[in-house]
């Protein structure tokens, strides 16, 4: 009879698994047409949890994407101030680490969306333009199409 072998995950595997799980679960809630107050709270908490776990095991790109998702969750919830804070953190991480392409364009997208939520049309337009300019450096056509489709929703 074969012996039962128990394989435990390393701490890094555990954090990575949770970061991905929460990131994907946030998308499920963001895409719902209607959310309860409890689901909105859960969406925001999971976005923060994902970002937390990426902060332990992720690369700067993971951190930027985590900040972007936290910002997006707050805009979906109609909360401009935290959305703008996390959008700015996303941009700072991109700038500090030389991250361009898709991620830089989405940092500006997050700022534009946050300013829209805040009712600041001037800064929304400035950041939309910066996102369009950054989009000129996106290498993959599919990534460019995703960005442009998202910009069209602002």
């Amino acid at each position: 009879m074969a012996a039962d072998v128990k394989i435990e995950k390393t701490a890094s595997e555990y954090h990575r698994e949770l970061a991905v799980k929460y990131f994907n679960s946030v998308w499920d809630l963001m895409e719902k047409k209607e959310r309860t107050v409890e689901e909105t709270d859960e969406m925001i908490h999971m976005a923060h949890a994902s970002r937390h776990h990426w902060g332990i095991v992720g690369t700067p790109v993971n951190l930027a994407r985590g900040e972007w998702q936290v910002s997006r969750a707050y805009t979906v919830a109609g909360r401009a101030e935290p959305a703008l804070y996390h959008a700015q953190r996303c941009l700072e991480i991109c700038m500090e680490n030389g991250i361009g392409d898709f991620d830089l364009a989405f940092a500006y997208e997050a700022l534009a969306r946050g300013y829209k939520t805040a009712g600041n049309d001037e800064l929304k337009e400035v950041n939309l333009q910066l996102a369009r300019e950054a989009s000129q450096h996106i290498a993959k056509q599919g990534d460019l199409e995703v960005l442009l489709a998202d910009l069209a929703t602002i």
Side-chain angles (χ1 to χ4, degrees):
M1 204 186 287
D4 287 334
V5 177
K6 184 176 181 181
I7 300 174
E8 295 193 25
K9 295 177 185 172
T10 66
S12 293
E13 290 169 331
Y14 171 77
H15 288 293
R16 184 172 306 282
E17 180 180 301
L18 287 176
V20 170
K21 175 184 174 184
Y22 291 138
F23 190 92
N24 292 336
S25 294
V26 169
W27 273 112
D28 293 340
L29 287 170
M30 283 196 299
E31 291 176 345
K32 283 186 82 169
K33 298 274 188 232
E34 294 184 28
R35 278 174 308 286
T36 65
V37 170
E38 293 79 13
E39 288 172 325
T40 298
D41 290 345
E42 183 179 13
M43 173 184 68
I44 290 169
H45 293 315
M46 284 192 300
H48 279 285
S50 177
R51 170 57 183 84
H52 167 75
H53 289 288
W54 281 127
I56 296 169
V57 296
T59 66
V61 168
N62 298 126
L63 303 182
R65 290 177 183 174
E67 292 293 343
W68 173 87
Q69 189 183 57
V70 173
S71 176
R72 185 63 163 272
Y74 278 116
T75 61
V76 167
R79 298 193 50 210
E81 189 277 328
L84 286 166
Y85 172 83
H86 290 283
Q88 186 62 44
R89 285 296 297 131
C90 176
L91 180 61
E92 289 167 0
I93 292 166
C94 287
M95 295 299 198
E96 290 167 2
N97 293 281
I99 300 169
D101 200 89
F102 179 84
D103 295 286
L104 180 60
F106 264 100
Y108 290 120
E109 177 273 342
L111 284 164
R113 195 173 296 278
Y115 283 119
K116 176 186 179 185
T117 303
N120 187 328
D121 288 338
E122 182 179 339
L123 288 175
K124 175 193 79 172
E125 291 301 326
V126 167
N127 283 281
L128 277 172
Q129 183 57 36
L130 290 168
R132 288 182 192 105
E133 290 171 14
S135 77
Q136 296 173 14
H137 304 285
I138 294 177
K140 294 181 184 173
Q141 183 63 31
D143 288 348
L144 175 61
E145 290 169 4
V146 168
L147 172 77
L148 295 177
D150 250 18
L151 293 180
T153 67
I154 298 176

